[in-house]
Amino acid sequence: MSDQNAPTSPLARAVRLRARIVVAYLVCFVLAVTWPGAMFFNGFEPQILGLPFNLAWPTFWVLLGFVVLVWLNFAVEARDDEGADSSASSSAGVS
């Protein structure tokens, strides 16, 4: 059976949208820190927080990746909490 026509909650749609954004970010991440993307940022100057720029660049992407994955996790947890609440309330009425 196809679940494409099944009704979905707004939180489930939000999780799918965030997941697509995370995938797009990860593609940009790979392109930005590997050759040839990183070649544009291959220099020691300027230094950022004492790190040469060619080391600060991938560090920035890794830290931003952490933030993006936490953002996705919050949406998934909210969706799972909504699903648990609705299944608990529906099973509470059945004895």
Side-chain angles (χ1 to χ4, degrees):
M1 285 196 213
S2 174
D3 289 341
Q4 289 183 345
N5 294 333
T8 58
S9 71
L11 282 176
R13 286 193 299 268
V15 168
R16 275 199 310 269
L17 176 63
R18 285 188 185 195
R20 289 179 181 142
I21 291 171
V22 168
V23 168
Y25 166 77
L26 292 174
V27 168
C28 291
F29 173 57
V30 167
L31 294 174
V33 299
T34 58
W35 184 86
M39 295 303 295
F40 298 110
F41 308 100
N42 190 15
F44 292 109
E45 295 293 332
Q47 288 195 347
I48 300 172
L49 299 174
L51 294 173
F53 192 65
N54 62 351
L55 184 58
W57 180 250
T59 302
F60 162 76
W61 279 95
V62 168
L63 293 175
L64 186 62
F66 172 75
V67 170
V68 167
L69 291 175
V70 167
W71 177 65
L72 176 63
N73 186 46
F74 281 137
V76 170
E77 290 292 326
R79 181 199 61 196
D80 291 347
D81 289 345
E82 179 192 43
D85 292 342
S86 64
S87 66
S89 63
S90 64
S91 64
V94 178
S95 298

